Amino acid sequence: MTYEEMIKKAKEASSKAYAPYSKFKVGACVLAESGNTYVGCNFENSSYGMTICAERNAVGNAIVNGELKIRAVAIYSPNMDNCTPCGACRQVLNEFKSKNGLDVIVKINDKIKIYTLEELLPETFNL
Ligand code: THU
């Protein structure tokens, strides 16, 4: 699947987001080493801290399908261009990055921009 198609999947997923508090909808699509993709959306809670971001939902979807290595993640929000993952999600993505790293794909003015996770989260903590 191309990165453009992954952004499209992330956009579709963002339409399912449950974000009644922030009204900030996000969708994500991860590409696993197998070549399969998995989507997620954010879902909030009246106890705000329980909120799960789209990226972590997509990673969980990959994990439950037996995927432990992620090559790329596309993120889309109708509310914001260049919607890069929050710090917590960067650390979660780091846990499952493939041996060749992990690309983070976002949309800016209907074009895609590709970051590496290494750029977004340098000097990572790993055990
Ligand atoms: N959110 C995500 O799902 N992913 C991001 O990359 C940024 C933030 C969600 C969390 C919360 O539901 C809403 O966006 C506002 O922070």
Side-chain angles (χ1 to χ4, degrees):
M1 184 178 293
T2 66
Y3 284 174
E4 282 84 0
E5 286 167 338
M6 285 176 63
I7 284 283
K8 201 167 163 232
K9 288 236 175 213
K11 184 175 182 176
E12 282 164 18
S14 74
S15 72
K16 304 285 194 335
Y18 175 73
Y21 305 104
S22 72
K23 318 268 189 232
F24 193 90
K25 294 185 167 201
V26 188
C29 175
V30 302
L31 172 67
E33 229 164 43
S34 66
N36 292 332
T37 56
Y38 302 91
V39 295
C41 61
N42 58 328
F43 57 99
E44 300 183 342
N45 193 275
S46 55
S47 177
Y48 294 170
M50 304 299 289
T51 291
I52 301 292
C53 293
E55 296 89 329
R56 271 176 290 154
N57 189 6
V59 169
N61 192 3
I63 301 295
V64 77
N65 282 286
E67 309 274 13
L68 292 174
K69 293 291 169 199
I70 292 171
R71 290 207 300 238
V73 58
I75 305 148
Y76 179 92
S77 173
N79 304 88
M80 185 191 275
D81 270 5
N82 196 29
C83 185
T84 59
C86 75
C89 288
R90 291 177 196 200
Q91 181 66 23
V92 169
L93 289 164
N94 178 64
E95 187 77 20
F96 300 105
K97 67 185 173 217
S98 79
K99 62 181 182 308
N100 295 321
L102 194 159
D103 285 342
V104 176
I105 306 141
V106 297
K107 190 207 69 160
I108 303 179
N109 289 329
D110 291 325
K111 290 199 165 150
I112 63 166
K113 178 169 172 67
I114 304 167
Y115 298 95
T116 63
L117 184 62
E118 211 177 354
E119 274 180 89
L120 299 180
L121 191 73
E123 301 298 333
T124 54
F125 175 75
N126 303 283
L127 287 178

